[in-house]
């Protein structure tokens, strides 16, 4: 599998050119085996911990909630048979958990890191990482004692989803938050944004806040796509402003679907991250070996080193031309220059084409084969969904999404739901001069186009309404057509086939009762 590929093809290249000191530590078994992870990031009091509680529908050990900055630790919320906390120092020596490489951030960080385990259904499929609330001031940067952005970046490279939480009630993106978001560079495809507490403002304010949020984010995250923002109130309390209730429900539904799809996409995501890593490792090898080649053998080493570090941007351009690599694959110049300051260039290795060929071969042949394998596995797998907690409240029953609305209206009633409006529809029906109790398609069309719906939609409505397919409509079929037009005009979707409760009574087969 993936791990095997990594060990055989990529690791030798990484070790030879000291990739791990520059970019990211070697991958461990747990990195390939672990469940999909979701990282939550936001300023304090945007409702991160409450959001986790909302998904799990139970408290987790070590959880603290309040208006002041409460969560000042990274908490990995994971599945465990018994409830309890594991402190950071113990976590990073556990080979079964994907956190061993976090030990390099030192004690200041490990004292602020823990794992909260509990037997919750949701956590059987995903793990959630709660991060410290980000303050708006400057003072916090000094007091953390570890490099907050580097830790975030470490997580970002390994998680499947990064959810940025914002508070619609008091939107502001502090400097530290901007820095934090910038440390997710290159992981844009994993980012989703949640505009929380949206019920605290009215519709007009919400529109403005949404606009302001998109504008602010556009300055921090430079991606060509528009970020997906989910608007809602993610906790179990009554809504303060109910005017956007349907919007919030639809948004929560979409967010749940997004999170639920993670287990299924996890294998592809790991593959994707490995490809990103392999490309960076190749570029890194080219840079290091170039620097080695340029070093003098005897005199003037220090001066040459300084000159090469300053010339790094030009070296990048040269390597891009020489090896046909896009600029996007290169590590950030500034960061690379800082890291090179402390290196002895003479100890670097020169270029070994064999190592590069192994990685090229992996990218060209092995990965494609693996991709097909994963696709097959996916199609054979029962769709792995996240269950439990808030994910179950939206499945079925009267509070499921869209229950009793649109085409589903009247599904659990004895009487045909169209009957209550039929007298009004009958009046129109008889003005269309029916022959033998039916109107022709031409007469029906004249009436139906007054709805201003496009022909493609009216054609679908005609198909659903003409139950016996005789190209004419009787009074019940006509009433049904008008009912379907009303459903569409109210902004609901039309059903693909006519549900049994909408079939007109005289067209129902004997013994078939409405469901």
């Amino acid at each position: 599998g993936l791990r095997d590929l990594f060990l055989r093809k990529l690791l030798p290249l990484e070790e030879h050119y000291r990739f791990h000191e520059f970019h990211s530590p070697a991958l461990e078994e747990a990195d390939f085996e672990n469940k999909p992870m979701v990282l939550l990031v936001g300023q304090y009091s945007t409702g991160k911990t409450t959001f986790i509680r909302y998904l799990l529908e139970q408290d987790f050990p070590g959880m603290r909630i309040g208006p002041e900055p409460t969560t000042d630790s990274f908490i990995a919320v994971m599945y465990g048979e018994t409830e309890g906390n594991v402190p950071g120092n113990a976590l990073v020596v556990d080979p079964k958990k994907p956190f061993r490489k976090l030990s390099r951030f030192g004690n200041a960080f490990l004292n602020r890191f823990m794992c909260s385990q509990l037997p919750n259904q949701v956590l059987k499929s995903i793990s959630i990482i709660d991060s410290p609330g980000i303050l708006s001031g400057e003072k916090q940067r000094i007091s953390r004692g570890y490099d907050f952005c580097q830790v975030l970046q470490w997580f970002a490279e390994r998680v499947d989803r990064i959810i940025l939480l914002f508070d619609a009630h008091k939107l502001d993106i502090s400097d530290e938050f901007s820095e934090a978001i910038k440390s997710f560079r290159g992981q844009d495809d994993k980012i989703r944004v949640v505009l929380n507490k949206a019920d605290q403002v009215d519709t007009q304010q919400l529109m403005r806040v949404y606009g302001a949020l998109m504008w602010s984010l556009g300055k921090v995250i430079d991606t060509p796509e528009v970020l997906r923002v989910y608007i809602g109130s993610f906790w179990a309390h009554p809504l303060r402003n109910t005017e956007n209730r349907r919007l919030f429900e639809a948004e929560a539904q979409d967010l749940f679907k997004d999170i639920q799809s993670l287990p299924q996409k996890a294998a592809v995501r790991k593959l994707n991250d490995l490809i990103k890593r392999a490309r960076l490792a190749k570029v890194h090898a080219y840079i290091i070996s170039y620097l080695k080649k340029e070093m003098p053998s005897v005199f003037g080493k220090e001066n040459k080193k300084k000159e090469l570090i300053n010339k790094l941007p030009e070296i990048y351009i040269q390597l891009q031309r020489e090896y046909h690599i896009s600029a996007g694959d290169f590590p950030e110049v500034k960061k690379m220059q800082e890291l090179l300051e402390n290196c002895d260039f003479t100890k670097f290795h020169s270029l070994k084409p064999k190592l590069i060929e192994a990685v090229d071969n992996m990218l060209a042949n092995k990965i494609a084969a693996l991709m097909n394998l994963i696709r097959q596995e996916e199609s054979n797998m029962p769709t792995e969904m996240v269950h439990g907690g808030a994910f179950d409240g939206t499945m079925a029953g009267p509070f499921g999404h869209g229950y009793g609305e649109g085409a589903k209206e009247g599904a659990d009633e004895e009487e045909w739901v169209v009957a209550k409006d039929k007298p009004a529809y009958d009046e129109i029906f008889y003005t269309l001069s029916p022959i033998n109790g039916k109107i022709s398609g031409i007469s029906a069309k004249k009436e139906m186009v007054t709805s201003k719906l496009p022909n493609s939609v009216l054609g679908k409505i005609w198909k659903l309404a003409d139950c016996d397919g005789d190209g004419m409509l009787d009074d019940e079929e006509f009433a049904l057509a008008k009912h379907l037009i009303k459903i569409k005009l109210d902004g609901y979707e039309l059903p693909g086939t006519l549900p049994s409760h909408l079939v007109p009574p005289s067209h129902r087969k004997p013994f078939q009762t409405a469901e």
Side-chain angles (χ1 to χ4, degrees):
L2 271 187
R3 175 169 160 76
D4 186 43
L5 263 189
F6 171 71
L7 293 175
R8 281 206 338 267
K9 307 271 185 183
L10 188 55
L11 192 62
L13 178 75
E14 288 186 2
E15 285 176 339
H16 197 67
Y17 296 105
R18 294 161 53 176
F19 178 86
H20 306 142
E21 296 168 37
F22 283 87
H23 304 291
S24 146
L27 296 173
E28 308 233 323
E29 193 164 355
D31 287 318
F32 295 99
E33 302 302 322
N34 66 331
K35 293 181 188 120
M37 296 195 284
V38 178
L39 171 67
L40 290 178
V41 183
Q43 299 192 185
Y44 77 94
S45 194
T46 44
K48 286 193 303 296
T49 309
T50 309
F51 179 76
I52 298 177
R53 207 201 159 287
Y54 169 81
L55 292 181
L56 303 182
E57 290 188 342
Q58 77 177 88
D59 292 348
F60 56 87
M63 167 177 123
R64 284 163 55 218
I65 293 176
E68 76 286 6
T70 39
T71 306
D72 60 350
S73 309
F74 280 86
I75 303 179
V77 186
M78 304 178 92
Y79 185 81
E81 291 302 327
T82 50
E83 270 197 39
N85 280 331
V86 184
N89 285 300
L91 255 189
V92 294
V93 290
D94 181 352
K96 286 199 174 60
K97 297 261 191 303
F99 303 125
R100 286 178 40 171
K101 290 287 191 272
L102 279 167
S103 57
R104 70 189 177 109
F105 292 109
N107 260 338
F109 167 71
L110 295 179
N111 293 334
R112 295 247 169 271
F113 177 45
M114 62 178 197
C115 174
S116 175
Q117 290 184 319
L118 63 159
N120 183 295
Q121 183 88 38
V122 175
L123 299 172
K124 280 186 177 170
S125 344
I126 57 171
S127 303
I128 305 174
I129 307 218
D130 193 5
S131 63
I134 295 173
L135 285 173
S136 8
E138 278 286 304
K139 61 177 181 299
Q140 193 177 5
R141 266 192 230 173
I142 310 135
S143 64
R144 281 205 199 271
Y146 60 89
D147 191 331
F148 182 59
C149 288
Q150 288 242 286
V151 174
L152 280 181
Q153 192 182 348
W154 187 93
F155 277 114
E157 283 171 10
R158 286 161 182 76
V159 298
D160 298 68
R161 264 292 164 273
I162 300 167
I163 295 183
L164 303 179
L165 268 117
F166 293 92
D167 181 342
H169 196 43
K170 47 172 199 291
L171 182 69
D172 97 289
I173 302 185
S174 68
D175 299 346
E176 194 182 22
F177 200 8
S178 299
E179 293 289 308
I181 296 173
K182 282 182 186 145
S183 60
F184 300 143
R185 198 179 141 236
Q187 311 289 342
D188 309 327
D189 50 333
K190 297 181 181 177
I191 297 180
R192 299 288 182 273
V193 178
V194 169
L195 185 55
N196 200 4
K197 309 192 184 182
D199 62 324
Q200 309 280 322
V201 293
D202 61 36
T203 308
Q204 191 184 6
Q205 287 169 312
L206 185 58
M207 294 301 291
R208 287 186 186 153
V209 168
Y210 180 77
L213 174 66
M214 294 308 272
W215 187 77
S216 315
L217 283 176
K219 292 194 302 189
V220 187
I221 304 179
D222 45 345
T223 122
E225 290 91 45
V226 176
L227 281 169
R228 176 68 171 97
V229 176
Y230 300 91
I231 303 172
S233 167
F234 296 94
W235 65 345
H237 292 245
L239 299 176
R240 271 186 59 180
N241 278 324
T242 50
E243 49 197 89
N244 295 313
R245 184 181 190 122
R246 270 183 57 194
L247 168 75
F248 297 163
E249 277 171 15
E251 293 279 284
Q253 210 53 32
D254 287 353
L255 179 62
F256 285 162
K257 278 196 194 110
D258 184 67
I259 296 177
Q260 279 178 319
S261 69
L262 292 178
Q264 225 183 331
K265 295 185 186 145
V268 177
R269 196 272 308 165
K270 284 173 185 157
L271 188 60
N272 218 350
D273 281 354
L274 189 69
I275 296 171
K276 275 187 206 168
R277 188 180 174 104
R279 288 166 61 161
L280 180 61
K282 255 177 66 178
V283 170
H284 179 75
Y286 286 136
I287 296 171
I288 295 294
S289 56
Y290 179 89
L291 296 174
K292 163 76 175 173
K293 190 180 80 192
E294 293 295 304
M295 285 306 278
S297 45
V298 198
F299 300 113
K301 291 180 185 168
E302 269 309 302
N303 290 341
K304 188 67 182 170
K305 173 176 159 177
K306 278 200 186 103
E307 179 197 330
L308 286 172
I309 291 179
N310 289 336
K311 264 181 38 188
L312 199 61
E314 292 146 53
I315 294 173
Y316 274 18
I317 294 167
Q318 196 181 329
L319 293 172
Q320 283 159 27
R321 287 202 195 117
E322 194 176 336
Y323 298 105
H324 310 292
I325 311 171
S326 78
D329 285 355
F330 278 75
E332 229 179 322
V333 175
K334 258 217 208 82
K335 199 178 135 202
M336 199 67 185
Q337 285 169 323
E338 281 169 24
L339 291 165
L340 287 169
E341 291 285 344
N342 312 322
C343 296
D344 178 356
F345 286 16
T346 52
K347 294 224 167 72
F348 285 164
H349 293 289
S350 42
L351 194 60
K352 260 201 181 166
K354 264 221 164 68
L355 289 174
I356 300 250
E357 271 162 32
V359 172
D360 280 337
N361 162 27
M362 168 182 107
L363 289 172
N365 312 327
K366 301 283 193 288
I367 296 273
L370 256 180
M371 195 69 178
N372 290 335
L373 212 100
I374 290 173
R375 291 251 159 80
Q376 275 169 347
E377 275 176 19
E378 267 183 11
S379 53
N380 300 337
M381 258 182 356
T383 41
E384 271 193 67
M385 288 289 253
V386 179
H387 284 299
F391 295 99
D392 288 354
T394 55
M395 298 297 179
F399 293 97
H401 185 56
Y403 178 92
E405 299 176 354
K408 300 194 187 100
E409 188 192 350
D412 46 9
E413 289 168 25
E414 282 294 304
E415 199 189 351
W416 187 42
V417 67
V418 187
K420 59 181 191 306
D421 298 317
K422 193 165 175 288
Y425 299 149
D426 280 352
E427 278 179 30
I428 303 169
F429 180 76
Y430 289 110
T431 61
L432 300 172
S433 44
I435 299 164
N436 297 336
K438 295 189 172 196
I439 57 171
S440 67
I442 293 172
S443 315
K445 180 176 176 178
K446 271 187 197 140
E447 169 55 32
M448 285 166 75
V449 293
T450 60
S451 68
K452 299 188 178 156
L453 285 170
N455 281 352
S456 56
V457 175
L458 292 174
K460 188 172 176 189
I461 289 176
W462 171 271
K463 260 206 200 107
L464 291 170
D466 183 9
C467 298
D468 49 16
D470 63 354
M472 330 246 299
L473 299 183
D474 62 23
D475 59 331
E476 285 186 341
E477 289 174 326
F478 176 75
L480 174 60
K482 294 290 281 182
H483 181 73
L484 290 168
I485 286 174
K486 182 167 155 274
I487 287 176
K488 192 66 193 163
L489 291 176
D490 285 347
Y492 295 101
E493 288 306 313
L494 291 171
T497 51
L498 197 64
S500 54
H501 69 275
L502 285 181
V503 178
S506 63
H507 291 270
R508 292 182 187 177
K509 297 185 177 57
F511 307 119
Q512 180 202 351
T513 52
E515 284 181 6

